[in-house]
Amino acid sequence: MNSYLAAAIQMTSVPDLTSNLAQAEELIDVAVRKGAQLVGLPENFSFMGEEKEKLAQAEVIGKETQIFLKKMAQRYQVNIIGGGFPVPSDTIDKVYNTAVLVDSNGEELSCYRKAHLFDVNVPDGNTYRESSTVMAGKELPNVYLSKQLGHIGLSVCYDVRFPELYRHMSQQGADVMFVPAAFTAFTGKDHWQVLLQARAIENTCYIIAPAQTGVHYDRRQTHGHAMIIDPWGMILDDAGEKPGVAIAEINPARIEQVRRQMPSLEHRVF
Ligand SMILES: O=C(O)CNC(=O)[C@H](CS)NC(=O)CCC(=O)C(=O)O
């Protein structure tokens, strides 16, 4: 594993595939110009809208998003993690909320289906029933071993509240874990950063968290603060509240140093 720059993209996606893909390409371009070799896009980067509208367009969104990710990876010669985005399942009227990792040849290296679905009545009055249109993935995420980038694990948004998923990835050797998200503004202000730092600290690994930000449609507002956190829990970069890019160095020497200073992974009892 080499030292390299990674980017967490922050977007305000809307219910319009074409304009979202254009916004995503602009930000990939920015990240690559800054030197990023691994770029993460947030949950719902290609479409953020009513569940029913997403479902109606799922086939097109799923297909076009996968084509887009491969094309961008090749065009910008960069590794990209994109998602979640809807991919039709065998069950009628249900999709998988899917995240994929593609390399600079446009090859899909790894794929994960969001396992924990956001069925929550948020105290701000918004009701979320992700399971009404999404099938929960039933498999733990695989960790992909890249000689250049290290062991990379994928998760999606609400998954971040379930530490057992990240412990599993840690046991598979994960050095870098992705949490692409569309966190609500209401929960995000109190929970987002704390949860991400906890996952980084307890697994002594990097966390890369691309995010949605701003107002998308109706009353849906997201928290922003795409960030990259190091294995000690330090925030290396934070994209704030506007669309943009958080960028930071992923350094294997830092992982080794922190694991030497705080060998908690070796002290697990259960
Ligand atoms: O809002 C939208 O339209 C899009 N959002 C999403 O697709 C997903 C599933 S509904 N959001 C989350 O998982 C939020 C989690 C979260 O905010 C928390 O855990 O607090």
Side-chain angles (χ1 to χ4, degrees), residues 43-44 48-49 51 114 118 128 130 157-158 161 182-184 187 217 220:
E43 185 183 31
N44 301 324
M48 183 115 166
E51 291 289 327
K114 187 181 189 184
F118 193 53
Y128 298 81
E130 190 176 16
C157 198
Y158 187 50
R161 293 179 184 272
F183 240 63
T184 74
T187 55
Y217 61 98
R220 286 286 163 93

Side-chain angles (χ1 to χ4, degrees), residues 103-153:
D103 71 10
S104 56
N105 297 318
E107 297 289 327
E108 183 176 312
L109 302 178
S110 177
C111 168
Y112 166 71
R113 294 164 167 170
K114 187 181 189 184
H116 302 96
L117 302 183
F118 193 53
D119 289 351
V120 176
N121 302 326
V122 176
D124 66 0
N126 280 306
T127 298
Y128 298 81
R129 285 288 171 275
E130 190 176 16
S131 67
S132 67
T133 57
V134 178
M135 282 281 282
K138 283 170 199 61
E139 281 170 30
L140 285 159
N142 290 317
V143 168
Y144 181 80
L145 170 56
S146 157
K147 281 212 181 80
Q148 283 86 34
L149 306 172
H151 292 76
I152 299 179

Side-chain angles (χ1 to χ4, degrees), residues 160-161 163 166 195-205 207:
V160 75
R161 293 179 184 272
Y166 301 85
L195 287 165
L196 293 171
Q197 284 180 303
R199 299 296 84 84
I201 294 167
E202 71 203 1
N203 297 301
T204 47
C205 69
I207 294 281

